[in-house]
Amino acid sequence: MNNKSNLKEVNLYYLSSDFSSVILRLCNSLLKKKISLFINLNTLEEALNLDKFLWVKKENSFLPHIMHTEKKTSLDNIVLLNGKCENFKKTNDFDIIIFSPNVSVEKLKNFSKYFLFSNFENKEKNLMDKKKLSNKGFKVKSFIESNMKWDII
């Protein structure tokens, strides 16, 4: 019998707006809670675009973060990673991994909490995704974005 409190958590987020804007809001919220996270992006170009967006989106403000190739300090709570996160060994200091909609996720390992973003297709497919992960033993929550607000499905 599985103990629900020991299950790995997966949050599925289905987007209707721009991933970068959603990440900016989410990361600001998570930083206030002192949560450390990886953001797994598909390509170096996608990582560099998000890097630039997070530094310059708000005038007189920025969201502190580093690329995975930079030296991490105790103050670095957000690390942008491109490529397969399974190839990155330094995962112990992080609470959550976020996958961009462009990343193809093959395995969920090395973390206890996952945020998977994808573009909204249809509610039936979203419910099937949730059921598949639940059947594999994950604790799953799923959300659909509507006008920068989240509805639970």
Side-chain angles (χ1 to χ4, degrees):
M1 187 165 127
N2 284 336
N3 181 347
K4 286 268 188 196
S5 64
N6 292 333
L7 294 178
K8 290 184 178 183
E9 294 180 38
V10 177
N11 288 0
L12 303 172
Y13 295 93
Y14 299 98
L15 297 172
S16 60
S17 66
D18 178 57
F19 175 70
S20 296
S21 298
V22 171
I23 285 299
L24 179 64
R25 290 178 50 226
L26 176 63
C27 288
N28 276 317
S29 173
L30 293 174
L31 277 181
K32 289 176 186 173
K33 298 176 184 178
K34 302 206 184 298
I35 294 175
S36 58
L37 57 119
F38 273 120
I39 302 175
N40 193 182
L41 302 135
N42 190 41
T43 64
L44 178 58
E45 180 181 3
E46 184 182 12
L48 292 172
N49 287 339
L50 183 60
D51 177 46
K52 182 178 178 183
F53 182 86
L54 296 177
W55 283 116
V56 300
K57 177 60 180 167
K58 290 185 176 182
E59 192 173 318
N60 300 324
S61 175
F62 65 92
L63 185 64
H65 65 280
I66 61 169
M67 298 291 288
H68 75 280
T69 53
E70 298 175 83
K71 183 171 174 59
K72 184 186 177 305
T73 70
S74 60
L75 300 175
D76 296 317
N77 288 329
I78 300 174
V79 176
L80 305 183
L81 171 68
N82 64 287
K84 293 183 182 275
C85 67
E86 293 90 10
N87 298 336
F88 193 72
K89 303 294 182 216
K90 300 176 185 175
T91 58
N92 295 341
D93 298 337
F94 296 90
D95 303 307
I96 298 171
I97 184 163
I98 297 172
F99 293 95
S100 89
N102 298 321
V103 172
S104 176
V105 180
E106 295 173 16
K107 295 180 183 176
L108 297 176
K109 63 179 190 175
N110 299 336
F111 292 88
S112 59
K113 194 160 194 174
Y114 302 86
F115 290 5
L116 282 75
F117 285 82
S118 62
N119 296 311
F120 179 77
E121 292 178 33
N122 65 62
K123 195 169 183 176
E124 291 76 26
K125 182 191 178 310
N126 304 140
L127 291 171
M128 283 179 34
D129 292 343
K130 183 177 181 178
K131 186 175 181 177
K132 282 181 192 175
L133 286 167
S134 293
N135 289 342
K136 290 183 178 184
F138 292 97
K139 181 180 176 183
V140 183
K141 298 177 188 173
S142 53
F143 308 88
I144 295 176
E145 180 198 7
S146 176
N147 298 321
M148 296 297 271
K149 300 220 186 270
W150 296 98
D151 295 326
I152 299 172
I153 58 169

